[in-house]
Amino acid sequence: MTDISVIVPVYNVELYLEECLDSLTAQTYQNMEFICINDGSTDGSLEILREYEKRDSRIKVVDKPNEGYGKTMNRGLAMAKSAWIGIVESDDFVKADMFEKLYEAADSEVNLVKCNFYKYKAKEGKNINYSKEYPEELFGREIDPLDYPEIYDAHNSVWAGLYRRSFLEENRIHFSETPGASYQDISFNFKVLSSVRKMKLIKDALLYYRTDNLQSSVYNPNKIFCMSDEMHAIEAYIREQSEERRKKLWPICMKKKFYDYRWNYLRLAPEFQYAFFRLMAEEFAADDREGKFEEVRWRTEKHKEELRGIIDDAEGYFQKTRNVQYVDGRVQMADTVNQKLFLKGILQEVRESGRTVIYGAGIWGKWMAERLLAKGIPKEKLLFAVSHRGEGREAMGIPIVEAGSLKAMEERLFVIVAVKGEAQIEMLANLRKLGITNVALADDEFRKLMQLA
C-alpha cells in the first residue's frame, strides 16, 4: 500500500496540466499514488491525463461528468487508501521534495502538516512572492490551532499540506458539494483547523500557487454568493460543537467572515456589488446583535471602526466604497487595462489597429459592430471571430473567422471580447494561448462608454 495519496482535481486546464503532472511524477518520495479526477473537461485535459497514465503506473485517472469541485474532491477522498492525503490543484505545480519533506514532518502525534508556498505568474516565469503564512515561532512545533488563532488568518491553501486520512474520516470532514459553487476550500480548511488537536508547520515553500489562471474562481465575478454559502457552512458546523468550543470558534469565525466578505464585496463589478453588500450588512448587523463580534482580535482598530460603519450607516458606507468603474481582473491578466483604453478612447484604439476583431458574433458582438460602424469605422477594418465557425462566413457583411486563424494575421490586432458570463473566461484563455494581448472586455461599463463616445 502507498503512504501518500495525492488528489488532483482537473477541469479545463490543458495549458497547465503537463507542468503539474511532471512535478508530481518527479517527486523524490516514491511510494505515492496520484488520483487525477477529470470533472467533465471540454478541452484536451483528459487526453493529457491518459497519456501520463500510460507512462506512470502511480497515476490513476477517473473520468466523470461535470459535477463541480466539491463532488470531485469528495470522490478523491473516498478513493484514497493511503495513510496520508495530499491535494494539488491541476494548474499549480510543486517542488520535487515537497511530499518527502511533508512526510518526514508527519510523525505519529500529528494529524496535519502544512507548508508555505510561492505565488507564481507564468509571465514572470519566477517565484514572484514567497508567501510566508505563519508566525516564525510556530514552525517545527506541535500546536493546536485553537491556541494560536492567527493560523486561521493564513491563506486557506488546502493544497499546501498533508492530512492523516483517519483524522478526516473520524471527524467526517469533506468538501461542500453546492452545485456550481466556488471557494469550497474555505469551510474544509476551517473544519480541519478546528478539529485537529496537533498539527505541525514547516517553513519551506514547497508549492507554486498559480495566480494567472483566467479560469480561477477569484477572477469570476458571477459567483456572487459562493463566499456566503461557505461561511454559512462554517456557522452550521460551529453550532454543532460544545459550548466550550463554540466560545473559542465564534470570534475566529466572525473575524474571518468580516475579512472574507469585505474582500468579496470590494472585488465585485458594480452591477453585482449592491446585492452582496445588502447580504453582508444584514448579516453583520444580526451577528452584532448576538454579540458575536465582541471577542474578535482585529488586525487593526480601523477595521473594527469599519465594521461599525457598515452596521450603523450601511448606505453611507456603500456610497463611499462602491466601485464606480470596475476594471476586470481577467482583462488585466490578458495584458490590457481597461482604464488605459478608456482614457485613450476606444475609437482611437480601433483606428490605430490594423484590424479590429470582435470576438463573438452573437447579439453583443453585432451590437458592438453597429456602434463601430456608426462611428465611421470602415466595415473592411472589422472581423468577427468565433471559437468554432459553423456554415456562416459573414454577418452584417463582415467576415467571420475562427479564432485560431488570428495568430497567423500580420496586422496589428485589437480584440474586443463581446460575450457574457463564463464564455468570457474561455475566450480570454484562447486569446492568451494564441499570444494575442491587445484585448478589451466589452462589459457593461465598456458598453456605456461606447454609447457616449
Side-chain angles (χ1 to χ4, degrees):
M1 181 178 291
T2 54
D3 295 321
I4 303 171
S5 297
V6 179
I7 303 169
V8 185
V10 177
Y11 179 71
N12 287 355
V13 286
E14 63 177 356
L15 293 178
Y16 316 110
L17 186 53
E18 292 186 16
E19 187 171 25
C20 174
L21 296 175
D22 286 341
S23 73
L24 290 175
T25 56
Q27 288 296 295
T28 55
Y29 194 83
Q30 294 291 306
N31 193 22
M32 305 171 65
E33 65 172 353
F34 307 112
I35 303 172
C36 302
I37 306 179
N38 181 51
D39 188 31
S41 296
T42 57
D43 62 359
S45 294
L46 180 59
E47 289 74 16
I48 294 171
L49 288 174
R50 292 298 188 200
E51 182 60 34
Y52 274 79
E53 187 179 34
K54 294 175 185 175
R55 299 183 205 168
D56 195 319
S57 62
R58 296 174 298 170
I59 294 177
K60 297 173 174 59
V61 176
V62 177
D63 182 33
K64 67 178 184 65
N66 180 258
E67 295 177 300
Y69 183 81
K71 285 191 174 182
T72 299
M73 290 303 302
N74 289 336
R75 178 84 170 265
L77 291 174
M79 290 179 61
K81 301 305 178 188
S82 304
W84 292 90
I85 294 176
I87 298 168
V88 174
E89 301 289 350
S90 49
D91 55 351
D92 298 337
F93 59 103
V94 301
K95 281 191 170 182
D97 58 353
M98 174 175 178
F99 287 102
E100 181 175 10
K101 287 190 172 181
L102 289 173
Y103 190 70
E104 285 176 352
D107 58 44
S108 60
E109 298 297 319
V110 302
N111 290 316
L112 170 66
V113 182
K114 297 206 73 173
C115 63
N116 283 310
F117 57 91
Y118 295 108
K119 293 180 180 178
Y120 177 84
K121 286 185 180 179
K123 184 179 177 182
E124 283 83 356
K126 60 183 180 181
N127 315 330
I128 63 163
N129 184 20
Y130 169 79
S131 187
K132 184 179 178 181
E133 296 292 307
Y134 308 104
E136 189 78 24
E137 63 271 17
L138 298 184
F139 291 119
R141 299 168 49 192
E142 292 181 2
I143 55 177
D144 182 343
L146 285 178
D147 293 334
Y148 301 93
E150 58 269 34
I151 291 176
Y152 287 83
D153 294 342
H155 193 289
N156 292 305
S157 62
V158 297
W159 25 258
L162 206 55
Y163 307 81
R164 191 184 296 274
R165 180 168 63 88
S166 59
F167 157 74
L168 295 177
E169 292 173 348
E170 289 165 6
N171 289 276
R172 295 178 294 170
I173 297 174
H174 55 266
F175 288 82
S176 302
E177 294 189 352
T178 312
S182 297
Y183 310 115
Q184 289 162 324
D185 54 351
I186 294 176
S187 63
F188 179 88
N189 186 60
F190 190 94
K191 293 173 186 177
V192 166
L193 293 179
S194 302
S195 301
V196 74
R197 293 296 186 270
K198 290 184 179 180
M199 68 174 291
K200 190 176 288 186
L201 301 170
I202 61 176
K203 189 173 182 179
D204 305 64
L206 300 175
L207 179 140
Y208 297 84
Y209 169 56
R210 193 180 298 277
T211 61
D212 57 354
N213 179 0
L214 298 174
Q215 301 190 63
S216 171
S217 57
V218 299
Y219 296 114
N220 188 348
N222 298 318
K223 310 221 172 188
I224 312 171
F225 297 109
C226 294
M227 179 73 72
S228 56
D229 291 340
E230 283 296 287
M231 197 57 62
H232 296 162
I234 291 174
E235 291 171 338
Y237 165 80
I238 294 175
R239 293 188 190 100
E240 296 174 351
Q241 307 305 305
S242 67
E243 182 178 355
E244 181 183 359
R245 286 175 57 74
R246 287 200 300 270
K247 286 181 180 178
K248 290 184 177 182
L249 289 172
W250 276 124
I252 297 170
C253 173
M254 288 299 101
K255 180 180 180 181
K256 184 170 186 58
K257 185 174 188 176
F258 171 80
Y259 288 109
D260 284 3
Y261 272 26
R262 178 175 174 268
W263 172 83
N264 192 52
Y265 159 66
L266 292 173
R267 82 180 181 92
L268 289 170
E271 60 266 33
F272 304 130
Q273 265 196 314
Y274 190 64
F276 186 80
F277 177 77
R278 286 186 59 183
L279 176 143
M280 178 174 78
E282 289 170 6
E283 288 193 14
F284 284 176
D287 294 332
D288 185 59
R289 287 193 295 271
E290 295 181 22
K292 290 180 180 176
F293 286 105
E294 290 178 3
E295 301 299 322
V296 168
R297 298 181 185 178
W298 297 97
R299 295 175 188 171
T300 69
E301 193 67 22
K302 180 181 177 182
H303 292 150
K304 183 179 180 180
E305 295 170 1
E306 190 174 347
L307 171 69
R308 289 257 51 97
I310 296 171
I311 295 171
D312 297 338
D313 183 16
E315 187 61 31
Y317 180 90
F318 178 74
Q319 292 301 326
K320 286 190 295 184
T321 58
R322 69 189 181 95
N323 286 331
V324 178
Q325 179 172 311
Y326 176 64
V327 180
D328 195 313
R330 289 169 294 174
V331 178
Q332 291 180 323
M333 299 308 299
D335 289 343
T336 300
V337 180
N338 264 355
Q339 287 178 318
K340 181 179 179 181
L341 291 175
F342 293 161
L343 291 171
K344 288 179 65 176
I346 296 299
L347 296 179
Q348 179 182 344
E349 185 69 25
V350 171
R351 292 187 180 105
E352 288 178 357
S353 68
R355 297 292 289 268
T356 292
V357 180
I358 301 170
Y359 199 162
I363 295 174
W364 275 44
K366 290 173 182 174
W367 180 90
M368 184 61 61
E370 289 174 356
R371 297 300 303 172
L372 293 174
L373 293 171
K375 298 300 180 183
I377 302 301
K379 186 176 291 188
E380 57 270 19
K381 194 179 183 70
L382 302 179
L383 279 177
F384 283 117
V386 293
S387 297
H388 302 286
R389 186 175 64 178
E391 295 182 0
R393 292 293 182 267
E394 65 175 41
M396 301 171 55
I398 299 170
I400 300 176
V401 300
E402 288 200 356
S405 68
L406 298 178
K407 188 173 184 179
M409 294 185 180
E410 296 182 357
E411 300 106 320
R412 178 179 178 274
L413 299 179
F414 173 49
V415 181
I416 301 172
V417 176
V419 293
K420 285 188 175 182
E422 296 294 323
Q424 295 173 351
I425 300 174
E426 178 187 349
M427 290 183 172
L428 286 168
N430 288 343
L431 291 168
R432 176 179 174 176
K433 189 175 180 181
L434 293 169
I436 297 171
T437 58
N438 195 23
V439 181
L441 183 66
D443 55 11
D444 287 342
E445 192 68 29
F446 188 111
R447 286 161 59 88
K448 290 174 188 176
L449 286 171
M450 282 298 296
Q451 289 174 321
L452 295 174

